[in-house]
């Protein structure tokens, strides 16, 4: 039942790849965003009681149509969204191979080829961030949230070895860690999941460019130590999610070193700057981080989910995740290799690294640099076009995420205004952007997440924004919700 016959399989693969090719080559012609219709969707699924078997080709057609009709098309060149990329061709091919071969990334001896490809990539990306390739270690994770969670766990074990056995109660006071108010909220979840509680995460004030202020961090450390708390970690962000801001990595590293804190840099999106020589100075000081989060499924444009946790401490993942069982293969020690499952949060795990490996092998570092450079240039064009049209860009970053308001009217800087503009643009089907907040400011946020976004798409976005603004001005205030 589960394995279909050779002729049927051939027809299925053909139809799957026809759907893939139809989507990849035709996505530009689709509205960027669907109508949101939960009732209609549930009605569509209602007939599936799984009593009557469905013909395979019909089932695939149902899935492809549903995906075409009911999703925000992140692969669309006018999707100016939330770091969700168009997937690379080699990435799609890689994930297909991985699904079929289904390598198991728990024990090294089950999937030596896969395990060594991932280890090779850990060294290669570690070196890009300035780590000593001989000392770097790391693991692929499902996403940046898991990488940040891993960072928090390794920081805890690194700073409070006693909690390995005895738990957090072994620490004489409350452990606390620091990040800026602009950082990613996966840290809040991680704090909760580690049993620290959300109050253990202390937000440090930002300077007037929305960067974590190192002197505010130092002041908080003094205050909190006097209050009997146990600071153990600081998280800097290299490319904030709302505004692409890079914290002063070197200065924060200085504070971390002087104060004995684990230093984590969340470079989920902005870490891509490490691949472009003229952007690399943005990340100056990242090599001093104890650990780094870097998402391949954002700026590296591989299918979800693919992220890296990297560290310059070769023993810390093993100290955090080691385990002994009678049922897992035990040949790793004799082979002098590391089993992935004693090195990561996940146990059975898919081969995440292949989509990165094949994309990088075919594009090369140069290909990636050219792609990121082009997206950055599209970000510059967007900033220029917006200013020409009377919008005010409020974030200061060379990375291609642009936050803006309309400062000509008091209304142009309200949550209501940015929400209505975003809604009008999205419902026009012309482009996808979102309202966001930078510091206290409501903004519109547009990110060039797609390597296929060109000048014509940027110009179309600005036109859609201008039309939304005129439409809104013509409507009676208070009419729209
Ligand atoms: C996206 C993002 C994350 C979370 O990553 P996921 O891959 O969505 O789990 C963490 N930190 C930053 C700065 C991000 O932009």
């Amino acid at each position: 039942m589960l394995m279909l016959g050779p002729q049927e399989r051939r027809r299925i693969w053909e139809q799957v790849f026809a759907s893939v090719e139809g989507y990849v080559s035709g996505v530009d012609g689709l509205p960027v965003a669907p109508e949101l219709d939960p009732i209609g969707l549930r009605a569509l699924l209602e007939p599936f009681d799984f009593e009557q078997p469905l013909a395979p080709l019909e089932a695939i057609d149902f899935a492809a149509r549903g995906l075409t009709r009911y999703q925000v098309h992140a692969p669309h060149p006018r999707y100016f969204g939330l770091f969700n990329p168009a997937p690379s061709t080699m990435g799609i091919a890689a994930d297909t191979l991985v699904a079929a071969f289904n390598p198991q990334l728990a024990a090294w001896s089950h999937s030596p080829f896969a395990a060594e490809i991932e280890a090779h990539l850990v060294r290669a990306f570690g070196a890009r961030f300035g780590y000593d390739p001989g000392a770097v270690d790391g693991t692929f994770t499902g996403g940046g949230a898991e990488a940040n969670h891993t960072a928090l766990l390794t920081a805890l074990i690194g700073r409070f070895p006693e909690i390995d056995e005895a738990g957090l109660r072994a620490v004489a006071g409350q452990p606390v860690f620091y990040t800026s108010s602009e950082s990613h909220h996966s840290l809040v979840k991680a704090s909760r999941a580690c049993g620290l509680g959300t109050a253990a995460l202390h937000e440090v004030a930002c300077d007037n460019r929305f960067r974590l202020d190192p002197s505010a961090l130092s002041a908080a450390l003094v205050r909190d130590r006097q209050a009997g708390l146990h600071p153990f970690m600081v998280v800097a962000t290299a490319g904030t999610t709302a505004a692409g801001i890079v914290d002063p990595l070197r200065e924060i590293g200085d504070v971390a070193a002087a104060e004995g804190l684990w230093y984590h840099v969340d470079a989920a999106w902005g870490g891509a700057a490490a691949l472009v020589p003229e952007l690399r100075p943005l990340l100056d000081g990242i090599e001093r981080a104890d650990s780094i989060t870097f998402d391949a499924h954002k700026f590296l444009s591989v299918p979800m989910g693919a992220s890296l946790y990297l560290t310059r401490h070769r023993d810390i993942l093993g100290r955090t995740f080691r385990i002994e069982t009678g049922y897992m293969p035990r040949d790793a020690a004799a082979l002098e290799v590391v089993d992935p499952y004693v090195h990561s949060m996940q146990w059975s795990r898919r081969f995440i690294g292949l989509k990165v490996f094949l994309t990088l092998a075919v594009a090369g570092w140069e290909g990636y640099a050219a792609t990121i450079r082009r997206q950055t240039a599209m970000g510059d064009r967007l900033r220029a076009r917006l200013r020409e049209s009377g919008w005010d860009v409020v974030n200061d970053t060379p990375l291609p995420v642009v936050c803006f308001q309309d400062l000509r009217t008091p209304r142009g800087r309200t949550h209501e205004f940015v929400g209505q503009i975003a809604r009008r643009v999205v419902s026009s089907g012309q482009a996808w952007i979102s309202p966001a907040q930078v510091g206290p400011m409501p903004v519109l946020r547009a990110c060039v997440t797609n390597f296929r976004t060109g000048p014509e798409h940027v110009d179309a976005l600005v036109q859609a924004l201008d039309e939304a603004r005129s439409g809104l001005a013509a409507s009676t205030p208070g009419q729209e919700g």
Side-chain angles (χ1 to χ4, degrees):
M1 266 338 287
L2 299 186
M3 175 85 161
L4 302 178
Q7 306 220 321
E8 209 161 22
R9 287 207 301 274
R10 176 173 295 277
R11 282 199 297 275
I12 290 168
W13 305 150
E14 278 168 8
Q15 174 153 338
V16 166
F17 283 101
S19 301
V20 169
E21 183 51 31
Y23 182 63
V24 167
S25 57
V27 64
D28 298 23
L30 298 172
V32 186
E35 261 181 70
L36 301 178
D37 178 17
I39 311 248
L41 267 168
R42 279 170 213 151
L44 196 67
L45 291 170
E46 189 66 32
F48 285 84
D49 58 5
F50 310 109
E51 300 292 348
Q52 298 299 324
L54 194 63
L57 296 185
E58 219 179 299
I60 289 165
D61 190 54
F62 176 80
R65 278 172 197 274
L67 288 165
T68 304
R69 175 137 183 228
Y70 296 105
Q71 71 170 3
V72 174
H73 294 296
H76 196 295
R78 281 182 270 113
Y79 173 76
F80 292 91
L82 304 174
F83 297 157
N84 303 310
S88 64
T89 305
M90 294 310 291
I92 297 170
D95 256 5
T96 309
L97 287 171
V98 167
F101 283 80
N102 204 25
Q104 163 62 292
L105 265 279
W108 186 96
S109 59
H110 262 51
S111 306
F113 180 73
E116 286 301 309
I117 281 188
E118 290 197 348
H120 187 70
L121 288 171
V122 162
R123 290 189 292 271
F125 280 96
R128 287 271 140 177
F129 287 110
Y131 281 167
D132 170 3
V136 63
D137 194 20
T139 177
F140 275 87
T141 66
E146 185 190 337
N148 280 346
H149 192 163
T150 302
L152 189 50
L153 286 167
T154 54
L156 282 168
I157 291 288
R159 286 297 170 268
F160 307 111
E162 64 274 22
I163 69 172
D164 178 36
E165 238 186 281
L168 286 170
R169 291 201 308 179
V171 184
Q174 169 72 43
V176 292
F177 66 114
Y178 302 83
T179 189
S180 91
S181 45
E182 295 291 307
S183 70
H184 194 268
H185 288 77
S186 55
L187 294 166
V188 178
K189 284 170 74 170
S191 191
R192 186 187 289 131
C194 287
L196 286 167
T198 55
L201 176 52
H202 287 200
E203 281 187 0
V204 179
C206 288
D207 63 16
N208 58 7
R209 290 161 64 198
F210 310 108
R211 309 179 317 159
L212 189 152
D213 180 352
S215 55
L217 172 63
S218 296
L221 286 164
V222 171
R223 232 180 11 250
D224 289 349
R225 286 210 167 102
Q226 274 167 4
L229 304 177
H230 286 243
F232 70 97
M233 180 192 203
V234 58
V235 181
T237 309
T240 57
T241 310
I245 304 291
V246 179
D247 286 337
L249 302 183
R250 185 163 291 283
E251 289 85 340
I252 297 168
D254 288 340
V255 177
E259 301 279 349
L261 305 179
W262 185 276
Y263 183 27
H264 180 67
V265 176
D266 180 356
W269 180 67
L275 275 53
V276 187
E278 66 273 24
L279 293 175
R280 182 62 180 78
L282 265 182
L283 302 179
D284 178 50
I286 197 171
E287 65 283 354
R288 302 177 63 190
D290 294 291
S291 53
I292 297 171
T293 288
F294 178 50
D295 270 6
H297 66 202
K298 287 182 176 165
F299 225 145
L300 296 194
S301 298
V302 303
M304 280 173 264
S307 183
L308 274 162
Y309 163 94
L310 299 167
T311 176
R312 58 184 172 81
H313 301 282
R314 279 203 67 84
D315 63 333
I316 194 67
L317 284 170
R319 281 170 58 200
T320 307
F321 296 111
R322 81 185 160 355
I323 201 87
E324 270 160 45
T325 73
Y327 48 82
M328 291 297 284
R330 286 191 224 185
D331 24 28
L335 292 165
E336 294 182 23
V337 296
V338 176
D339 283 327
Y341 83 102
V342 296
H343 231 70
S344 63
M345 304 233 307
Q346 294 186 45
W347 197 293
S348 296
R349 173 162 77 69
R350 75 185 269 116
F351 182 12
I352 297 168
L354 188 65
K355 48 197 164 191
V356 182
F357 181 78
L358 288 186
T359 307
L360 179 57
V362 169
W365 295 120
E366 255 321 303
Y368 261 129
T371 305
I372 294 161
R373 195 173 280 133
R374 177 181 140 96
Q375 282 177 245
T376 306
M378 288 306 117
D380 293 341
R381 181 186 182 95
L382 177 56
R383 274 185 278 270
R385 284 279 178 279
L386 284 169
R387 289 191 175 114
E388 281 164 27
S389 276
W391 299 91
D392 301 274
V393 174
V394 299
N395 64 328
D396 177 14
T397 177
L399 300 173
V401 59
V402 186
C403 299
F404 54 100
Q405 304 174 305
D406 182 351
L407 297 183
R408 290 182 301 188
T409 65
R411 193 181 167 197
R413 51 192 102 163
T414 61
H415 281 294
E416 194 201 5
F417 175 84
V418 298
Q420 286 175 359
I421 295 283
R423 210 153 35 235
R424 278 172 176 255
V425 169
V426 171
S427 63
S428 76
Q430 284 305 304
W432 197 95
I433 58 162
S434 52
Q437 187 167 328
V438 182
M441 292 187 294
V443 295
L444 286 153
R445 175 189 182 279
C447 178
V448 182
T449 50
N450 190 316
F451 53 80
R452 289 177 53 239
T453 297
E456 69 276 26
H457 307 115
V458 168
D459 296 353
L461 169 63
V462 177
Q463 190 182 336
L465 280 161
D466 290 348
E467 281 165 13
R469 182 170 54 183
S470 318
L472 196 59
S475 75
T476 324
Q479 227 174 36
E480 293 193 35

